[in-house]
Amino acid sequence: MLKGKTAIITGAGRGIGRAITLALAGRGADIVVNDIDMGPARSVAEEIAACGGRAMAVKVDVTDEAAVNDMVAAAVVRFGKVDILVNNAGVVQTGPLTGISPAAWDKVMAVNLKAVFLCCKAVFPLMMDHRGGRIINIASVAGKRGGGLLGNSCYAASKGGVIAFTKGVAREGGPYNITANAITPALTDTDMTGGLTPAQRETIIQMMPLGRAGRPEDIAAAVCFFASDDAAFVTGTVLNVDGGLTMD
Ligand SMILES: NC(=O)c1ccc[n+]([C@@H]2O[C@H](COP(=O)([O-])OP(=O)(O)OC[C@H]3O[C@@H](n4cnc5c(N)ncnc54)[C@H](O)[C@@H]3O)[C@@H](O)[C@H]2O)c1
């Protein structure tokens, strides 16, 4: 149970972020529902409130350092502290290396990697003061496999960066009882993967021993584990939630 804990989830308006948010709220956490898109974030916050939970929707672009700091400050004003940070917001890029513009590279790196750094940096002093915290980063199997149908080399680099960054944060956070772990989903049914053709989808599913695409709830369950007391001694870990695709 996460009663009395406060969680910030980025990119929480839809897809995997929404499922994570509802799962953490269902376990009793107070929630900051972040998204760059306010409409969906507000609906998720309203859904939580309708079930008796406490949530605030915050429209912030997580690549904007000042806005991220304001979001964390607002969380403290409303809920008193931040115990859990889930860096979930992300964008995908597909297509060949020769087609990637430097601007597209910068955008992917900003949302998928720099924003993870900014959000961790903003909550770290609070967690250090409280002598505890849970940071959970949503990476991707692309960060281990180099992309493929689930993103290109640029996306893979950003997610590989998230994996390395998570381990660095785990090392720095350890003395303060702050854990940092990453989750690497494979194909998961959300808007992000809605553009795959049926044939591309089937190709990926055939590589997965469990023979189906992931559901946002599959990823949310792993987040709940990392946020729970059961994961108190788990840090610097990268958990594949990928139907067996990777097996490394
Ligand atoms: N769906 C998959 O197959 C899959 C696989 C591996 C990893 N992932 C990762 O899981 C995470 C969630 O993916 P999803 O499939 O739910 O994607 P999605 O596109 O359905 O949702 C992403 C959410 O992030 C928000 N967002 C984007 N940029 C933002 C910004 N700058 N600031 C704040 N919010 C922003 C979007 O508005 C959206 O609500 C991403 O990091 C993604 O890379 C997804």
Side-chain angles (χ1 to χ4, degrees):
M1 286 301 285
L2 298 172
K3 195 97 196 135
K5 306 281 187 196
T6 300
I8 297 177
I9 300 97
T10 70
R14 66 174 196 232
I16 292 171
R18 177 176 180 277
I20 292 168
T21 301
L22 295 177
L24 292 175
R27 283 159 179 75
D30 298 327
I31 307 280
V32 176
V33 187
N34 160 263
D35 209 284
I36 198 167
D37 209 351
M38 189 56 167
R42 193 179 287 124
S43 338
V44 173
E46 284 168 2
E47 206 173 328
I48 292 168
C51 296
R54 298 204 301 169
M56 65 189 270
V58 183
K59 175 182 157 70
V60 156
D61 176 347
V62 285
T63 67
D64 177 340
E65 181 176 18
V68 164
N69 291 340
D70 287 349
M71 171 172 73
V72 172
V76 172
V77 168
R78 172 79 194 270
F79 298 124
K81 60 193 168 63
V82 177
D83 305 286
I84 301 160
L85 167 67
V86 185
N87 286 301
N88 164 79
V91 289
V92 76
Q93 269 284 327
T94 52
L97 166 62
T98 49
I100 306 170
S101 67
W105 169 276
D106 287 346
K107 167 92 196 274
V108 170
M109 289 297 164
V111 180
N112 292 3
L113 185 53
K114 180 183 168 194
V116 177
F117 153 66
L118 293 177
C119 291
C120 287
K121 188 178 174 197
V123 301
F124 225 67
L126 297 170
M127 291 181 172
M128 287 166 75
D129 281 353
H130 280 95
R131 292 266 151 190
R134 301 291 169 91
I135 293 172
I136 302 149
N137 296 328
I138 309 302
S140 168
V141 293
K144 294 180 167 184
R145 298 169 52 91
L149 289 170
L150 291 166
N152 64 15
S153 52
C154 162
Y155 178 76
S158 71
K159 294 300 190 178
V162 170
I163 291 169
F165 181 72
T166 302
K167 293 176 182 176
V169 172
R171 287 186 190 282
E172 269 195 60
Y176 302 95
N177 193 31
I178 301 168
T179 68
N181 293 287
I183 294 168
T184 48
L187 171 65
T188 306
D189 284 328
T190 66
D191 289 358
M192 184 177 272
T193 52
L196 289 172
T197 65
Q200 287 173 324
R201 201 181 133 75
E202 203 41 49
T203 301
I204 300 169
I205 288 174
Q206 276 176 10
M207 293 189 289
M208 299 160 87
L210 288 177
R212 67 165 174 87
R215 303 179 188 109
E217 292 72 21
D218 294 320
I219 316 305
V223 170
C224 287
F225 167 67
F226 284 129
S228 75
D229 288 344
D230 290 340
F233 200 53
V234 181
T235 196
T237 294
V238 182
L239 180 64
N240 299 324
V241 183
D242 67 349
L245 178 79
T246 309
M247 291 199 193
D248 57 350

